Amino acid sequence: MYQRCAAVLCVLAVLGLEVAALGECELARLLQDKLRYEMRLQYMKHYFPIDYTLRVQHEEVLRMANVTRLRDKKVSEASLRYLWFHACSQAVLHILEVLPEKHPSRGYTQELSQLLDALGMEYSGYRQHPKLFAPIDDVAVPHPMSPQSDVDAAVADLVKQLHSGDSRLKAVRPKALLDNCIKVLRMLFRAHCRWDST
Ligand SMILES: *[C@@H]1O[C@H](CO)[C@@H](O)[C@H](O)[C@H]1NC(C)=O
């Protein structure tokens, strides 16, 4: 799983420098745009056989209800965005995996994957060095927090589970996976990025 992510990141490093230079909200905005209804319908439904499903892990299915439950448990918004990023990236990678080289949905799915990877870099930097650029009396002090310290424990567990590949599988339609992606994206980024309610 991680190897695959790494390969995609390599491609991105070569081809996607422009995308990689964007910030979290700009990337989320681009994703929102790419995930709009007509595109999901065309690329994730019309170009797939009728009733086609993928088998994914339960943790990859992140619905608005999941987020509401986690919010009730006081999981931080940053952690929720982090979880959303992992669930959505996994979903996109799974879709990419079943698409043959010349499938008409491949280019679209690859673009989604690149945007998500760029967003991932954003998060890895923040997660590991939240205060890297804050000068502390001009002395370089090692950051006291561990790499995932600003990710809630509950979310860190879910993310680990999601990448473990050893939980129960569930059959889901590709469009349903992306429907969840965009619904949760809107739910989590609208206020954070101060988007108008559209
Ligand atoms: C979301 O909730 C469903 C049950 O409704 C569960 O199977 C799934 O693992 C949850 N996903 C996450 C990421 O928590």
Side-chain angles (χ1 to χ4, degrees):
M1 213 60 86
Y2 282 118
Q3 269 170 355
R4 226 173 37 204
C5 297
V8 177
L9 278 176
C10 288
V11 171
L12 183 81
V14 179
L15 302 174
L17 290 173
E18 292 161 35
V19 164
L22 298 174
E24 183 186 22
C25 287
E26 288 156 310
L27 288 165
R29 178 68 107 176
L30 287 174
L31 274 165
Q32 174 179 251
D33 195 49
K34 263 222 172 301
L35 285 168
R36 65 183 179 273
Y37 177 71
E38 310 86 74
M39 296 200 133
R40 277 178 286 137
L41 190 67
Q42 178 175 3
Y43 291 110
M44 292 296 129
K45 187 167 178 187
H46 292 166
Y47 290 164
F48 274 88
I50 292 169
D51 289 338
Y52 183 87
T53 57
L54 290 100
R55 292 174 67 72
V56 302
Q57 297 195 90
H58 277 252
E59 291 77 14
E60 283 172 63
V61 182
L62 182 69
R63 295 202 183 88
M64 296 208 283
N66 293 78
V67 173
T68 305
R69 272 199 298 272
L70 290 165
R71 272 179 176 163
D72 288 345
K73 290 189 202 155
K74 306 277 179 271
V75 168
S76 75
E77 288 297 303
S79 296
L80 289 173
R81 289 195 299 277
Y82 181 73
L83 175 63
W84 167 85
F85 157 74
H86 279 277
C88 196
S89 304
Q90 278 300 100
V92 167
L93 283 176
H94 269 148
I95 296 169
L96 208 49
E97 228 172 33
V98 300
L99 293 173
E101 200 72 30
K102 296 202 168 134
H103 192 283
S105 300
R106 200 172 162 91
Y108 171 76
T109 314
Q110 250 160 355
E111 282 168 28
L112 287 178
S113 173
Q114 288 189 349
L115 287 172
L116 283 162
D117 279 336
L119 197 56
M121 286 196 241
E122 195 78 14
Y123 289 152
S124 63
Y126 168 73
R127 210 169 80 238
Q128 290 172 30
H129 310 289
K131 304 216 170 68
L132 193 64
F133 299 107
I136 308 167
D137 297 337
D138 293 330
V139 184
V141 205
H143 202 276
M145 296 197 275
S146 64
Q148 298 213 347
S149 59
D150 59 280
V151 173
D152 286 70
V155 162
D157 277 352
L158 283 170
V159 169
K160 207 189 286 170
Q161 188 73 38
L162 201 139
H163 286 292
S164 70
D166 60 8
S167 87
R168 295 163 305 144
L169 297 178
K170 182 182 173 120
V172 188
R173 295 186 184 166
K175 180 168 168 296
L177 284 173
L178 294 196
D179 291 349
N180 289 333
C181 262
I182 188 162
K183 281 184 201 159
V184 174
L185 181 155
R186 289 203 186 106
M187 187 179 181
L188 293 176
F189 287 81
R190 181 171 287 158
H192 175 64
C193 296
R194 297 167 205 279
W195 292 341
D196 300 327
S197 42
T198 39

